[in-house]
Amino acid sequence: METFEKRWEKAGLSDDYVFCKVMLKPDLCKRMLELILNVDISRIEYVEEQKTIDIKKDSRGIRLDIYVRDGEETVYNVEIQTRNTRELSKRSRYYQALIDLQLLRKGVHYKALNRSFVIFICTFDVFKTGRHIYTFENICKEDPAILLGDETTKIFLNAQGTMDDVGPELKAFLDFVAGEKSEDPFVRQLDEEIRHIKTNEEWRREYMTIQELNQEMRDEGIEIGRAEGRKEGRAEGRAEGRTEMIRNVLYTLKNAEQTAKILRIDAADVWSVVKAERIPVDDYPN
């Protein structure tokens, strides 16, 4: 079995943790967006690192990998995706909806909604036609020349594309996501930043901690589920193992938001454990 240390050494841009750390560099994030959208961007600013959006306590929240805006107040959500869960189309719809709800303050007119892009960078072909890029906007079915004009765009990138449908720089970037290096200047910058990230001992420990906790959560859920020996038992076992892991990290960190970040889960799930079990935390809202 591959060790977490080896996994850290091998992790490239397609690794969610490494991707997020690389894109903390504004010039790299900006260049990536320019390549994907084929536009010039004056500047970007980070709304929040791995922003969490929770609208209601009984609704599913989301944790965004990259969430930035540019000088024109356009917002961009970029996600790295290595597993085909076969629901990315509807997930992009949900992400867009929650981003809009978060952007539009109560009492503000709809026309104030920012232009937005939801972008999934995938290591597989979502739509199985060989394209490197799939761009979706809302158009009139009867007359495709008519755009709805809601200023929302969803883009799915495919690192395994075979068509000659993108420029050499974007192709080199997607090849790098797939694990193939080249002498492309942007790819060399990305590769250099990844090597720099690997020298950060704090990030290495955080990566190890996340990997260990995720593995423990999986193992505990599986073990309890096996003991139950039934479908219901397996489901309950995974839930019990997950709750136990959240509980253990909370008692160590005393901070719900940090616990959510370390475990990479919705903050609402952590807060539900805090409240249900009355666990003392330092960041409990007044």
Side-chain angles (χ1 to χ4, degrees), residues 162-179:
T162 56
M163 284 190 181
D164 184 20
D165 57 341
V166 293
E169 290 179 294
L170 180 55
K171 173 68 164 56
F173 168 74
L174 290 173
D175 286 344
F176 187 59
V177 171

Side-chain angles (χ1 to χ4, degrees), residues 104-113:
L104 197 63
R105 300 281 187 264
K106 186 176 181 179
V108 177
H109 198 278
Y110 294 117
K111 66 182 180 182
L113 276 171

Side-chain angles (χ1 to χ4, degrees), residues 72-85:
E72 305 299 320
E73 294 300 311
T74 299
V75 298
Y76 307 88
N77 164 222
V78 187
E79 305 287 320
I80 198 81
Q81 188 72 27
T82 60
R83 189 165 59 93
N84 190 357
T85 55

Side-chain angles (χ1 to χ4, degrees), residues 149-211:
D150 60 349
E151 295 190 313
T152 65
T153 304
K154 301 176 183 68
I155 297 175
F156 299 83
L157 291 156
N158 168 29
Q160 302 294 335
T162 56
M163 284 190 181
D164 184 20
D165 57 341
V166 293
E169 290 179 294
L170 180 55
K171 173 68 164 56
F173 168 74
L174 290 173
D175 286 344
F176 187 59
V177 171
E180 182 181 332
K181 296 182 181 180
S182 70
E183 292 303 309
D184 176 82
F186 183 50
V187 166
R188 293 177 65 180
Q189 282 184 285
L190 293 170
D191 191 41
E192 182 179 343
E193 182 60 22
I194 290 173
R195 289 199 300 270
H196 174 69
I197 287 169
K198 299 293 182 65
T199 66
N200 188 307
E201 184 60 25
E202 180 183 350
W203 287 350
R204 186 189 74 84
R205 287 197 302 268
E206 185 178 64
Y207 183 89
M208 299 296 176
T209 300
I210 291 170
Q211 295 295 321

Side-chain angles (χ1 to χ4, degrees), residues 5-261:
E5 184 71 44
K6 191 69 175 177
R7 195 176 298 175
W8 170 246
E9 292 173 3
K10 290 172 59 178
L13 196 63
S14 63
D15 182 277
D16 179 75
Y17 184 90
V18 172
F19 177 76
C20 290
K21 294 304 181 187
V22 168
M23 291 305 155
L24 287 177
K25 285 277 189 178
D27 58 328
L28 297 180
C29 187
K30 181 168 100 57
R31 183 57 184 151
M32 176 188 70
L33 290 172
E34 289 177 333
L35 287 177
I36 294 172
L37 302 173
N38 196 28
V39 297
D40 290 326
I41 297 175
S42 60
R43 63 181 176 85
I44 64 166
E45 56 186 64
Y46 293 84
V47 179
E48 186 178 327
E49 180 187 351
Q50 283 207 312
K51 180 175 179 62
T52 298
I53 300 179
D54 291 311
I55 301 300
K56 293 173 60 180
K57 67 178 182 179
D58 57 346
S59 297
R60 180 167 185 162
I62 57 174
R63 180 174 291 273
L64 307 179
D65 283 353
I66 304 297
Y67 187 56
V68 297
R69 62 175 170 242
D70 63 16
E72 305 299 320
E73 294 300 311
T74 299
V75 298
Y76 307 88
N77 164 222
V78 187
E79 305 287 320
I80 198 81
Q81 188 72 27
T82 60
R83 189 165 59 93
N84 190 357
T85 55
R86 307 186 188 283
E87 40 73 284
L88 287 187
S89 297
K90 288 194 174 181
R91 192 195 303 186
S92 71
R93 168 182 166 182
Y94 189 66
Y95 278 27
Q96 182 67 66
L98 289 194
I99 288 170
D100 285 347
L101 285 172
Q102 190 269 336
L103 286 171
L104 197 63
R105 300 281 187 264
K106 186 176 181 179
V108 177
H109 198 278
Y110 294 117
K111 66 182 180 182
L113 276 171
N114 308 56
R115 186 183 184 197
S116 65
F117 291 83
V118 174
I119 302 170
F120 283 93
I121 303 174
C122 305
T123 58
F124 52 89
D125 191 345
V126 178
F127 302 102
K128 302 184 185 307
T129 69
R131 291 186 178 278
H132 287 90
I133 186 168
Y134 302 88
T135 303
F136 296 90
E137 293 182 346
N138 290 317
I139 63 172
C140 176
K141 185 176 180 180
E142 289 73 23
D143 185 350
I146 301 174
L147 296 178
L148 180 62
D150 60 349
E151 295 190 313
T152 65
T153 304
K154 301 176 183 68
I155 297 175
F156 299 83
L157 291 156
N158 168 29
Q160 302 294 335
T162 56
M163 284 190 181
D164 184 20
D165 57 341
V166 293
E169 290 179 294
L170 180 55
K171 173 68 164 56
F173 168 74
L174 290 173
D175 286 344
F176 187 59
V177 171
E180 182 181 332
K181 296 182 181 180
S182 70
E183 292 303 309
D184 176 82
F186 183 50
V187 166
R188 293 177 65 180
Q189 282 184 285
L190 293 170
D191 191 41
E192 182 179 343
E193 182 60 22
I194 290 173
R195 289 199 300 270
H196 174 69
I197 287 169
K198 299 293 182 65
T199 66
N200 188 307
E201 184 60 25
E202 180 183 350
W203 287 350
R204 186 189 74 84
R205 287 197 302 268
E206 185 178 64
Y207 183 89
M208 299 296 176
T209 300
I210 291 170
Q211 295 295 321
E212 289 172 5
L213 291 172
N214 285 341
Q215 187 62 53
E216 288 178 19
M217 287 173 68
R218 286 192 292 268
D219 291 346
E220 287 188 19
I222 291 171
E223 188 60 33
I224 296 171
R226 283 175 178 168
E228 294 294 331
R230 293 180 289 112
K231 182 178 179 180
E232 294 82 358
R234 287 195 297 272
E236 291 171 4
R238 285 192 293 270
E240 184 177 336
R242 187 171 189 267
T243 300
E244 179 65 21
M245 187 57 56
I246 294 173
R247 185 188 302 118
N248 290 342
V249 178
L250 279 170
Y251 275 117
T252 300
L253 298 180
K254 306 294 185 185
N255 187 294
E257 295 297 328
Q258 288 180 10
T259 296
K261 182 178 179 181

